[in-house]
Amino acid sequence: MRPAKTAATQQPDLMADLSAAILLTLRLLMAVALYAFLGWSVLILWRDLKNQAQNLAKQKVPALEVSLLGDNSSLEEIRFTSPEIVIGRHPSCEWVLPNETVSSRHARLVYHHDQWWLEDLSSRNGTFLNGVALIAPAVLANQDQIRCGQVSFSVAFNDALGQETPK
């Protein structure tokens, strides 16, 4: 037979039950606070990415006009409005140059940071900007002359209104 609990022995059990309940409540509150913080963080990141995507979509890429130089100058000017132009012989390139001195993926013109950039894509015969071999991506200026293999051309920029920038 068990001895009857006196008021003195019931006090610690009541305190232990109360402490356990308080501890459980605090743990649940911490878990809810943690999930609320994580949800808030994801929401903020999602909104920021959405705003950046909208800003990039609004950004206008100025048209780039290329004119072949030398023996090929009888061809008309070509106008590009996409932010990336791959130059080469391969049919998947945006600008196909059917010349044996041009690599299948020779060079790339890219518009970012509000500027047109020229990059050599490890071509066999090299890419030249104003007569200088290109070893790293370079910013283009209006009326720059580019040579891919033996094919030379010049570039001209158009602003957002479709007007050619001054030469």
Side-chain angles (χ1 to χ4, degrees), residues 65-129:
E65 290 185 3
V66 294
S67 304
L68 291 170
L69 303 173
D71 297 336
N72 301 318
S73 61
S74 62
L75 299 175
E76 58 187 67
E77 290 183 349
I78 302 171
R79 181 183 173 110
F80 294 101
T81 56
S82 64
E84 182 174 344
I85 304 156
V86 177
I87 303 167
R89 283 183 315 181
H90 196 271
S92 68
C93 294
E94 282 77 16
W95 189 19
V96 178
L97 295 175
N99 186 297
E100 290 299 317
T101 61
V102 176
S103 298
S104 61
R105 287 180 43 90
H106 196 101
R108 177 171 49 189
L109 297 165
V110 182
Y111 185 79
H112 62 83
H113 297 102
D114 294 328
Q115 297 176 332
W116 279 101
W117 293 71
L118 174 64
E119 176 183 4
D120 182 58
L121 299 176
S122 302
S123 60
R124 182 182 56 212
N125 292 321
T127 303
F128 296 84
L129 177 60

Short mmCIF file of all heavy atoms in Angstrom, two decimals, residues 65-129:
data_model
loop_
_atom_site.label_atom_id
_atom_site.label_comp_id
_atom_site.label_asym_id
_atom_site.label_seq_id
_atom_site.Cartn_x
_atom_site.Cartn_y
_atom_site.Cartn_z
N GLU A 65 23.68 47.78 -85.12
CA GLU A 65 23.75 47.59 -86.57
C GLU A 65 25.18 47.25 -86.95
O GLU A 65 26.12 47.92 -86.51
CB GLU A 65 23.31 48.86 -87.29
CG GLU A 65 21.83 49.12 -87.15
CD GLU A 65 21.36 50.31 -87.95
OE1 GLU A 65 22.17 50.91 -88.67
OE2 GLU A 65 20.17 50.62 -87.85
N VAL A 66 25.32 46.20 -87.74
CA VAL A 66 26.65 45.80 -88.20
C VAL A 66 26.71 45.95 -89.72
O VAL A 66 25.74 45.68 -90.43
CB VAL A 66 26.98 44.34 -87.79
CG1 VAL A 66 27.10 44.24 -86.28
CG2 VAL A 66 25.95 43.37 -88.29
N SER A 67 27.85 46.42 -90.20
CA SER A 67 28.07 46.60 -91.63
C SER A 67 29.37 45.90 -91.99
O SER A 67 30.42 46.17 -91.40
CB SER A 67 28.21 48.09 -91.97
OG SER A 67 27.09 48.79 -91.54
N LEU A 68 29.29 45.01 -92.95
CA LEU A 68 30.49 44.31 -93.40
C LEU A 68 31.41 45.28 -94.12
O LEU A 68 30.95 46.19 -94.84
CB LEU A 68 30.12 43.14 -94.30
CG LEU A 68 29.41 41.98 -93.60
CD1 LEU A 68 28.88 40.99 -94.60
CD2 LEU A 68 30.36 41.29 -92.63
N LEU A 69 32.71 45.11 -93.95
CA LEU A 69 33.71 45.97 -94.57
C LEU A 69 34.50 45.17 -95.61
O LEU A 69 34.54 43.95 -95.57
CB LEU A 69 34.67 46.51 -93.52
CG LEU A 69 34.05 47.31 -92.37
CD1 LEU A 69 35.09 47.63 -91.32
CD2 LEU A 69 33.40 48.57 -92.90
N GLY A 70 35.16 45.86 -96.50
CA GLY A 70 36.04 45.20 -97.49
C GLY A 70 35.26 44.59 -98.62
O GLY A 70 34.28 45.15 -99.11
N ASP A 71 35.69 43.38 -99.06
CA ASP A 71 35.09 42.72 -100.21
C ASP A 71 33.63 42.34 -99.97
O ASP A 71 32.87 42.17 -100.91
CB ASP A 71 35.87 41.44 -100.55
CG ASP A 71 37.30 41.75 -100.97
OD1 ASP A 71 37.53 42.90 -101.44
OD2 ASP A 71 38.17 40.87 -100.83
N ASN A 72 33.25 42.19 -98.73
CA ASN A 72 31.90 41.76 -98.40
C ASN A 72 30.94 42.94 -98.21
O ASN A 72 29.81 42.75 -97.81
CB ASN A 72 31.91 40.93 -97.11
CG ASN A 72 32.79 39.71 -97.25
OD1 ASN A 72 32.77 39.05 -98.27
ND2 ASN A 72 33.57 39.43 -96.23
N SER A 73 31.41 44.17 -98.48
CA SER A 73 30.60 45.35 -98.18
C SER A 73 29.37 45.49 -99.07
O SER A 73 28.53 46.33 -98.83
CB SER A 73 31.45 46.61 -98.26
OG SER A 73 31.96 46.76 -99.57
N SER A 74 29.25 44.66 -100.09
CA SER A 74 28.07 44.74 -100.94
C SER A 74 26.83 44.25 -100.20
O SER A 74 25.71 44.56 -100.59
CB SER A 74 28.29 43.90 -102.21
OG SER A 74 28.47 42.55 -101.86
N LEU A 75 27.02 43.49 -99.12
CA LEU A 75 25.88 43.03 -98.33
C LEU A 75 25.34 44.21 -97.53
O LEU A 75 26.07 45.10 -97.12
CB LEU A 75 26.30 41.90 -97.39
CG LEU A 75 26.84 40.65 -98.07
CD1 LEU A 75 27.33 39.67 -97.02
CD2 LEU A 75 25.77 40.00 -98.92
N GLU A 76 24.04 44.21 -97.29
CA GLU A 76 23.43 45.31 -96.57
C GLU A 76 23.70 45.20 -95.06
O GLU A 76 24.17 44.18 -94.58
CB GLU A 76 21.94 45.36 -96.83
CG GLU A 76 21.21 44.09 -96.45
CD GLU A 76 19.77 44.13 -96.90
OE1 GLU A 76 19.54 44.12 -98.13
OE2 GLU A 76 18.90 44.18 -96.04
N GLU A 77 23.38 46.28 -94.37
CA GLU A 77 23.56 46.30 -92.91
C GLU A 77 22.58 45.34 -92.25
O GLU A 77 21.48 45.14 -92.75
CB GLU A 77 23.32 47.71 -92.37
CG GLU A 77 24.39 48.69 -92.75
CD GLU A 77 24.15 50.05 -92.12
OE1 GLU A 77 23.05 50.29 -91.58
OE2 GLU A 77 25.07 50.88 -92.17
N ILE A 78 23.00 44.78 -91.14
CA ILE A 78 22.14 43.89 -90.38
C ILE A 78 21.89 44.54 -89.03
O ILE A 78 22.81 45.05 -88.39
CB ILE A 78 22.79 42.50 -90.20
CG1 ILE A 78 23.10 41.90 -91.57
CG2 ILE A 78 21.89 41.59 -89.40
CD1 ILE A 78 23.93 40.66 -91.51
N ARG A 79 20.64 44.50 -88.59
CA ARG A 79 20.24 45.13 -87.33
C ARG A 79 19.84 44.05 -86.33
O ARG A 79 19.02 43.18 -86.64
CB ARG A 79 19.08 46.08 -87.59
CG ARG A 79 18.59 46.80 -86.39
CD ARG A 79 17.39 47.66 -86.78
NE ARG A 79 16.80 48.25 -85.62
CZ ARG A 79 16.86 49.54 -85.33
NH1 ARG A 79 17.47 50.36 -86.15
NH2 ARG A 79 16.30 50.01 -84.24
N PHE A 80 20.42 44.11 -85.13
CA PHE A 80 20.11 43.16 -84.06
C PHE A 80 19.47 43.90 -82.90
O PHE A 80 19.91 45.00 -82.54
CB PHE A 80 21.37 42.46 -83.58
CG PHE A 80 22.02 41.57 -84.61
CD1 PHE A 80 23.12 42.01 -85.31
CD2 PHE A 80 21.52 40.32 -84.87
CE1 PHE A 80 23.73 41.21 -86.26
CE2 PHE A 80 22.11 39.50 -85.82
CZ PHE A 80 23.22 39.95 -86.52
N THR A 81 18.45 43.29 -82.29
CA THR A 81 17.81 43.90 -81.12
C THR A 81 17.84 42.98 -79.90
O THR A 81 17.35 43.36 -78.85
CB THR A 81 16.34 44.26 -81.43
OG1 THR A 81 15.66 43.08 -81.87
CG2 THR A 81 16.25 45.35 -82.48
N SER A 82 18.41 41.80 -80.04
CA SER A 82 18.50 40.89 -78.90
C SER A 82 19.74 41.24 -78.05
O SER A 82 20.71 41.79 -78.57
CB SER A 82 18.57 39.44 -79.36
OG SER A 82 19.74 39.21 -80.10
N PRO A 83 19.72 40.92 -76.74
CA PRO A 83 20.83 41.29 -75.88
C PRO A 83 22.07 40.41 -76.04
O PRO A 83 23.11 40.70 -75.47
CB PRO A 83 20.26 41.16 -74.48
CG PRO A 83 19.14 40.20 -74.60
CD PRO A 83 18.61 40.35 -75.99
N GLU A 84 21.98 39.33 -76.81
CA GLU A 84 23.15 38.46 -77.03
C GLU A 84 23.17 37.99 -78.47
O GLU A 84 22.17 37.49 -78.98
CB GLU A 84 23.12 37.25 -76.09
CG GLU A 84 24.32 36.36 -76.25
CD GLU A 84 24.37 35.23 -75.23
OE1 GLU A 84 23.65 35.30 -74.23
OE2 GLU A 84 25.12 34.28 -75.47
N ILE A 85 24.32 38.17 -79.11
CA ILE A 85 24.48 37.79 -80.51
C ILE A 85 25.73 36.93 -80.62
O ILE A 85 26.83 37.41 -80.34
CB ILE A 85 24.63 39.04 -81.41
CG1 ILE A 85 23.44 39.97 -81.22
CG2 ILE A 85 24.81 38.64 -82.87
CD1 ILE A 85 23.72 41.39 -81.56
N VAL A 86 25.56 35.69 -81.01
CA VAL A 86 26.70 34.79 -81.22
C VAL A 86 27.03 34.81 -82.71
O VAL A 86 26.15 34.66 -83.56
CB VAL A 86 26.41 33.37 -80.73
CG1 VAL A 86 27.58 32.44 -81.02
CG2 VAL A 86 26.09 33.37 -79.24
N ILE A 87 28.31 35.03 -83.01
CA ILE A 87 28.79 35.10 -84.38
C ILE A 87 29.58 33.84 -84.69
O ILE A 87 30.44 33.45 -83.90
CB ILE A 87 29.69 36.34 -84.57
CG1 ILE A 87 28.94 37.61 -84.18
CG2 ILE A 87 30.21 36.42 -85.99
CD1 ILE A 87 29.83 38.82 -84.03
N GLY A 88 29.31 33.22 -85.82
CA GLY A 88 30.05 32.03 -86.21
C GLY A 88 29.48 31.40 -87.46
O GLY A 88 28.56 31.93 -88.08
N ARG A 89 30.03 30.24 -87.82
CA ARG A 89 29.55 29.52 -89.01
C ARG A 89 28.40 28.58 -88.71
O ARG A 89 27.67 28.17 -89.60
CB ARG A 89 30.69 28.69 -89.61
CG ARG A 89 31.68 29.47 -90.39
CD ARG A 89 32.69 28.54 -90.99
NE ARG A 89 33.09 27.57 -89.95
CZ ARG A 89 33.97 26.62 -90.10
NH1 ARG A 89 34.56 26.47 -91.25
NH2 ARG A 89 34.28 25.81 -89.13
N HIS A 90 28.25 28.17 -87.46
CA HIS A 90 27.23 27.18 -87.10
C HIS A 90 25.83 27.75 -87.31
O HIS A 90 25.58 28.91 -87.01
CB HIS A 90 27.41 26.75 -85.64
CG HIS A 90 26.68 25.49 -85.33
ND1 HIS A 90 25.37 25.50 -84.91
CD2 HIS A 90 27.07 24.20 -85.38
CE1 HIS A 90 24.99 24.25 -84.69
NE2 HIS A 90 26.00 23.45 -84.99
N PRO A 91 24.90 26.95 -87.84
CA PRO A 91 23.54 27.44 -88.10
C PRO A 91 22.80 27.94 -86.86
O PRO A 91 21.85 28.70 -86.97
CB PRO A 91 22.82 26.23 -88.70
CG PRO A 91 23.89 25.33 -89.20
CD PRO A 91 25.10 25.59 -88.34
N SER A 92 23.21 27.51 -85.67
CA SER A 92 22.52 27.96 -84.45
C SER A 92 22.95 29.35 -84.02
O SER A 92 22.35 29.92 -83.10
CB SER A 92 22.77 26.97 -83.32
OG SER A 92 24.13 27.01 -82.93
N CYS A 93 23.96 29.93 -84.65
CA CYS A 93 24.42 31.28 -84.31
C CYS A 93 23.41 32.32 -84.77
O CYS A 93 22.74 32.13 -85.79
CB CYS A 93 25.79 31.56 -84.93
SG CYS A 93 27.11 30.53 -84.28
N GLU A 94 23.33 33.43 -84.06
CA GLU A 94 22.42 34.51 -84.44
C GLU A 94 22.89 35.17 -85.74
O GLU A 94 22.07 35.63 -86.53
CB GLU A 94 22.31 35.56 -83.33
CG GLU A 94 21.42 35.15 -82.18
CD GLU A 94 22.08 34.18 -81.23
OE1 GLU A 94 23.32 34.02 -81.26
OE2 GLU A 94 21.34 33.54 -80.46
N TRP A 95 24.20 35.26 -85.93
CA TRP A 95 24.74 35.82 -87.18
C TRP A 95 25.70 34.80 -87.77
O TRP A 95 26.78 34.56 -87.24
CB TRP A 95 25.46 37.14 -86.91
CG TRP A 95 25.85 37.86 -88.16
CD1 TRP A 95 25.35 37.69 -89.42
CD2 TRP A 95 26.83 38.89 -88.27
NE1 TRP A 95 25.95 38.54 -90.30
CE2 TRP A 95 26.86 39.30 -89.62
CE3 TRP A 95 27.67 39.51 -87.36
CZ2 TRP A 95 27.72 40.29 -90.08
CZ3 TRP A 95 28.51 40.49 -87.82
CH2 TRP A 95 28.53 40.89 -89.16
N VAL A 96 25.28 34.18 -88.84
CA VAL A 96 26.07 33.14 -89.50
C VAL A 96 26.96 33.79 -90.55
O VAL A 96 26.46 34.48 -91.46
CB VAL A 96 25.16 32.07 -90.14
CG1 VAL A 96 25.99 31.03 -90.85
CG2 VAL A 96 24.27 31.44 -89.08
N LEU A 97 28.27 33.59 -90.43
CA LEU A 97 29.25 34.09 -91.40
C LEU A 97 29.85 32.89 -92.13
O LEU A 97 30.65 32.15 -91.56
CB LEU A 97 30.36 34.88 -90.69
CG LEU A 97 29.94 36.18 -90.01
CD1 LEU A 97 31.10 36.79 -89.26
CD2 LEU A 97 29.38 37.15 -91.02
N PRO A 98 29.45 32.66 -93.37
CA PRO A 98 29.93 31.48 -94.10
C PRO A 98 31.34 31.70 -94.67
O PRO A 98 31.52 31.84 -95.87
CB PRO A 98 28.88 31.32 -95.21
CG PRO A 98 28.39 32.71 -95.44
CD PRO A 98 28.47 33.42 -94.12
N ASN A 99 32.33 31.72 -93.78
CA ASN A 99 33.71 31.93 -94.20
C ASN A 99 34.56 30.92 -93.44
O ASN A 99 34.39 30.74 -92.24
CB ASN A 99 34.14 33.37 -93.85
CG ASN A 99 35.51 33.71 -94.37
OD1 ASN A 99 36.49 33.10 -93.97
ND2 ASN A 99 35.58 34.69 -95.25
N GLU A 100 35.48 30.27 -94.13
CA GLU A 100 36.29 29.21 -93.52
C GLU A 100 37.20 29.71 -92.40
O GLU A 100 37.64 28.94 -91.56
CB GLU A 100 37.13 28.49 -94.60
CG GLU A 100 36.30 27.64 -95.53
CD GLU A 100 35.56 26.53 -94.80
OE1 GLU A 100 36.15 25.88 -93.91
OE2 GLU A 100 34.38 26.33 -95.10
N THR A 101 37.51 31.00 -92.37
CA THR A 101 38.38 31.53 -91.31
C THR A 101 37.61 31.86 -90.03
O THR A 101 38.21 32.19 -89.02
CB THR A 101 39.11 32.81 -91.79
OG1 THR A 101 38.15 33.82 -92.10
CG2 THR A 101 39.98 32.51 -93.00
N VAL A 102 36.28 31.73 -90.09
CA VAL A 102 35.43 31.99 -88.92
C VAL A 102 35.13 30.65 -88.26
O VAL A 102 34.75 29.69 -88.92
CB VAL A 102 34.12 32.70 -89.35
CG1 VAL A 102 33.20 32.88 -88.17
CG2 VAL A 102 34.43 34.03 -90.01
N SER A 103 35.32 30.58 -86.95
CA SER A 103 35.03 29.36 -86.19
C SER A 103 33.52 29.13 -86.12
O SER A 103 32.73 30.03 -86.39
CB SER A 103 35.59 29.47 -84.77
OG SER A 103 37.00 29.61 -84.81
N SER A 104 33.14 27.92 -85.74
CA SER A 104 31.70 27.61 -85.67
C SER A 104 31.00 28.50 -84.64
O SER A 104 29.87 28.92 -84.84
CB SER A 104 31.47 26.14 -85.37
OG SER A 104 32.03 25.80 -84.12
N ARG A 105 31.62 28.77 -83.51
CA ARG A 105 31.16 29.76 -82.53
C ARG A 105 32.35 30.66 -82.27
O ARG A 105 33.17 30.38 -81.41
CB ARG A 105 30.67 29.08 -81.24
CG ARG A 105 29.34 28.37 -81.42
CD ARG A 105 28.85 27.69 -80.15
NE ARG A 105 29.00 28.46 -78.92
CZ ARG A 105 28.08 29.30 -78.43
NH1 ARG A 105 26.96 29.48 -79.08
NH2 ARG A 105 28.30 29.93 -77.31
N HIS A 106 32.44 31.74 -82.99
CA HIS A 106 33.65 32.56 -83.02
C HIS A 106 33.68 33.64 -81.92
O HIS A 106 34.63 33.74 -81.16
CB HIS A 106 33.78 33.23 -84.40
CG HIS A 106 35.13 33.77 -84.66
ND1 HIS A 106 36.06 33.12 -85.44
CD2 HIS A 106 35.74 34.90 -84.25
CE1 HIS A 106 37.17 33.83 -85.50
NE2 HIS A 106 37.00 34.93 -84.78
N ALA A 107 32.64 34.47 -81.86
CA ALA A 107 32.62 35.59 -80.92
C ALA A 107 31.19 35.83 -80.47
O ALA A 107 30.24 35.31 -81.05
CB ALA A 107 33.19 36.85 -81.58
N ARG A 108 31.09 36.65 -79.43
CA ARG A 108 29.77 36.97 -78.89
C ARG A 108 29.69 38.45 -78.56
O ARG A 108 30.60 39.01 -77.95
CB ARG A 108 29.50 36.14 -77.63
CG ARG A 108 28.19 36.45 -76.97
CD ARG A 108 27.83 35.50 -75.88
NE ARG A 108 28.94 35.31 -74.95
CZ ARG A 108 28.94 34.41 -74.00
NH1 ARG A 108 27.93 33.59 -73.86
NH2 ARG A 108 29.95 34.30 -73.18
N LEU A 109 28.59 39.07 -78.98
CA LEU A 109 28.28 40.45 -78.61
C LEU A 109 27.18 40.38 -77.55
O LEU A 109 26.13 39.76 -77.79
CB LEU A 109 27.78 41.24 -79.82
CG LEU A 109 28.78 41.41 -80.96
CD1 LEU A 109 28.08 41.86 -82.23
CD2 LEU A 109 29.86 42.39 -80.57
N VAL A 110 27.41 40.99 -76.39
CA VAL A 110 26.47 40.90 -75.27
C VAL A 110 26.19 42.30 -74.75
O VAL A 110 27.12 43.10 -74.57
CB VAL A 110 27.04 40.03 -74.13
CG1 VAL A 110 26.04 39.90 -73.00
CG2 VAL A 110 27.43 38.66 -74.62
N TYR A 111 24.93 42.57 -74.46
CA TYR A 111 24.56 43.85 -73.86
C TYR A 111 24.26 43.63 -72.38
O TYR A 111 23.31 42.94 -72.02
CB TYR A 111 23.33 44.44 -74.56
CG TYR A 111 22.98 45.82 -74.06
CD1 TYR A 111 23.69 46.93 -74.49
CD2 TYR A 111 21.96 46.01 -73.15
CE1 TYR A 111 23.38 48.20 -74.03
CE2 TYR A 111 21.65 47.27 -72.68
CZ TYR A 111 22.37 48.36 -73.12
OH TYR A 111 22.08 49.62 -72.66
N HIS A 112 25.10 44.18 -71.52
CA HIS A 112 24.83 44.18 -70.09
C HIS A 112 25.54 45.36 -69.45
O HIS A 112 26.49 45.91 -70.02
CB HIS A 112 25.21 42.85 -69.41
CG HIS A 112 26.65 42.48 -69.48
ND1 HIS A 112 27.59 42.95 -68.60
CD2 HIS A 112 27.32 41.69 -70.34
CE1 HIS A 112 28.77 42.46 -68.92
NE2 HIS A 112 28.64 41.69 -69.98
N HIS A 113 25.06 45.76 -68.29
CA HIS A 113 25.56 46.94 -67.59
C HIS A 113 25.51 48.18 -68.48
O HIS A 113 26.42 49.00 -68.49
CB HIS A 113 26.98 46.71 -67.05
CG HIS A 113 27.06 45.63 -66.03
ND1 HIS A 113 27.53 44.38 -66.33
CD2 HIS A 113 26.71 45.60 -64.73
CE1 HIS A 113 27.48 43.62 -65.26
NE2 HIS A 113 26.98 44.34 -64.27
N ASP A 114 24.44 48.26 -69.28
CA ASP A 114 24.19 49.40 -70.18
C ASP A 114 25.29 49.61 -71.22
O ASP A 114 25.54 50.73 -71.65
CB ASP A 114 23.98 50.70 -69.38
CG ASP A 114 22.71 50.64 -68.56
OD1 ASP A 114 21.75 49.97 -69.01
OD2 ASP A 114 22.66 51.26 -67.48
N GLN A 115 25.98 48.54 -71.62
CA GLN A 115 27.03 48.64 -72.63
C GLN A 115 27.04 47.37 -73.48
O GLN A 115 26.69 46.30 -73.01
CB GLN A 115 28.41 48.80 -71.98
CG GLN A 115 28.56 50.06 -71.19
CD GLN A 115 29.90 50.13 -70.48
OE1 GLN A 115 30.49 49.11 -70.14
NE2 GLN A 115 30.40 51.33 -70.26
N TRP A 116 27.49 47.52 -74.71
CA TRP A 116 27.72 46.36 -75.57
C TRP A 116 29.14 45.87 -75.33
O TRP A 116 30.08 46.66 -75.28
CB TRP A 116 27.54 46.72 -77.05
CG TRP A 116 26.11 46.72 -77.47
CD1 TRP A 116 25.32 47.81 -77.65
CD2 TRP A 116 25.30 45.58 -77.77
NE1 TRP A 116 24.06 47.42 -78.04
CE2 TRP A 116 24.03 46.06 -78.13
CE3 TRP A 116 25.53 44.20 -77.77
CZ2 TRP A 116 22.98 45.20 -78.49
CZ3 TRP A 116 24.50 43.36 -78.12
CH2 TRP A 116 23.24 43.86 -78.48
N TRP A 117 29.29 44.56 -75.17
CA TRP A 117 30.59 43.93 -74.93
C TRP A 117 30.88 42.95 -76.05
O TRP A 117 29.97 42.30 -76.58
CB TRP A 117 30.57 43.17 -73.61
CG TRP A 117 30.44 44.04 -72.40
CD1 TRP A 117 29.34 44.73 -72.00
CD2 TRP A 117 31.45 44.31 -71.44
NE1 TRP A 117 29.61 45.41 -70.84
CE2 TRP A 117 30.89 45.17 -70.47
CE3 TRP A 117 32.77 43.90 -71.29
CZ2 TRP A 117 31.60 45.63 -69.38
CZ3 TRP A 117 33.48 44.35 -70.19
CH2 TRP A 117 32.91 45.21 -69.26
N LEU A 118 32.16 42.81 -76.40
CA LEU A 118 32.62 41.83 -77.38
C LEU A 118 33.49 40.81 -76.66
O LEU A 118 34.38 41.18 -75.88
CB LEU A 118 33.42 42.50 -78.49
CG LEU A 118 34.08 41.58 -79.52
CD1 LEU A 118 33.03 40.81 -80.31
CD2 LEU A 118 34.97 42.39 -80.44
N GLU A 119 33.23 39.53 -76.94
CA GLU A 119 33.98 38.45 -76.29
C GLU A 119 34.36 37.41 -77.32
O GLU A 119 33.53 36.99 -78.13
CB GLU A 119 33.09 37.83 -75.20
CG GLU A 119 33.69 36.65 -74.50
CD GLU A 119 32.73 36.03 -73.49
OE1 GLU A 119 31.58 36.47 -73.40
OE2 GLU A 119 33.15 35.09 -72.82
N ASP A 120 35.62 37.00 -77.30
CA ASP A 120 36.09 35.93 -78.18
C ASP A 120 35.72 34.60 -77.53
O ASP A 120 35.88 34.41 -76.33
CB ASP A 120 37.61 36.02 -78.37
CG ASP A 120 38.12 34.95 -79.31
OD1 ASP A 120 37.65 34.92 -80.46
OD2 ASP A 120 38.99 34.16 -78.90
N LEU A 121 35.20 33.66 -78.32
CA LEU A 121 34.79 32.36 -77.80
C LEU A 121 35.84 31.29 -78.11
O LEU A 121 35.51 30.22 -78.62
CB LEU A 121 33.42 31.97 -78.36
CG LEU A 121 32.27 32.92 -78.01
CD1 LEU A 121 30.99 32.48 -78.69
CD2 LEU A 121 32.08 33.00 -76.50
N SER A 122 37.09 31.58 -77.79
CA SER A 122 38.22 30.66 -78.03
C SER A 122 38.28 30.27 -79.51
O SER A 122 38.43 29.08 -79.84
CB SER A 122 38.11 29.42 -77.14
OG SER A 122 38.08 29.80 -75.79
N SER A 123 38.19 31.25 -80.37
CA SER A 123 38.21 30.98 -81.81
C SER A 123 39.62 30.63 -82.27
O SER A 123 40.61 31.00 -81.64
CB SER A 123 37.70 32.20 -82.58
OG SER A 123 38.52 33.31 -82.31
N ARG A 124 39.69 29.92 -83.37
CA ARG A 124 40.98 29.47 -83.90
C ARG A 124 41.78 30.63 -84.50
O ARG A 124 42.98 30.74 -84.28
CB ARG A 124 40.72 28.39 -84.96
CG ARG A 124 41.98 27.80 -85.56
CD ARG A 124 41.66 26.79 -86.62
NE ARG A 124 40.80 27.44 -87.62
CZ ARG A 124 39.85 26.84 -88.31
NH1 ARG A 124 39.63 25.58 -88.15
NH2 ARG A 124 39.12 27.50 -89.18
N ASN A 125 41.13 31.51 -85.25
CA ASN A 125 41.83 32.60 -85.93
C ASN A 125 41.74 33.94 -85.20
O ASN A 125 42.21 34.95 -85.70
CB ASN A 125 41.31 32.76 -87.36
CG ASN A 125 41.70 31.56 -88.21
OD1 ASN A 125 42.80 31.04 -88.09
ND2 ASN A 125 40.78 31.11 -89.04
N GLY A 126 41.13 33.96 -84.04
CA GLY A 126 41.11 35.16 -83.21
C GLY A 126 40.05 36.17 -83.59
O GLY A 126 39.51 36.18 -84.69
N THR A 127 39.76 37.02 -82.61
CA THR A 127 38.84 38.14 -82.79
C THR A 127 39.63 39.41 -82.52
O THR A 127 40.37 39.49 -81.54
CB THR A 127 37.66 38.03 -81.81
OG1 THR A 127 37.00 36.78 -82.02
CG2 THR A 127 36.67 39.16 -82.01
N PHE A 128 39.48 40.39 -83.39
CA PHE A 128 40.24 41.64 -83.28
C PHE A 128 39.29 42.81 -83.15
O PHE A 128 38.30 42.90 -83.89
CB PHE A 128 41.14 41.82 -84.51
CG PHE A 128 42.19 40.75 -84.63
CD1 PHE A 128 41.88 39.53 -85.22
CD2 PHE A 128 43.46 40.95 -84.13
CE1 PHE A 128 42.83 38.53 -85.33
CE2 PHE A 128 44.42 39.96 -84.24
CZ PHE A 128 44.11 38.75 -84.82
N LEU A 129 39.59 43.71 -82.23
CA LEU A 129 38.82 44.93 -82.04
C LEU A 129 39.71 46.10 -82.38
O LEU A 129 40.73 46.33 -81.73
CB LEU A 129 38.32 45.03 -80.58
CG LEU A 129 37.56 46.29 -80.19
CD1 LEU A 129 36.30 46.44 -81.03
CD2 LEU A 129 37.21 46.27 -78.71
#
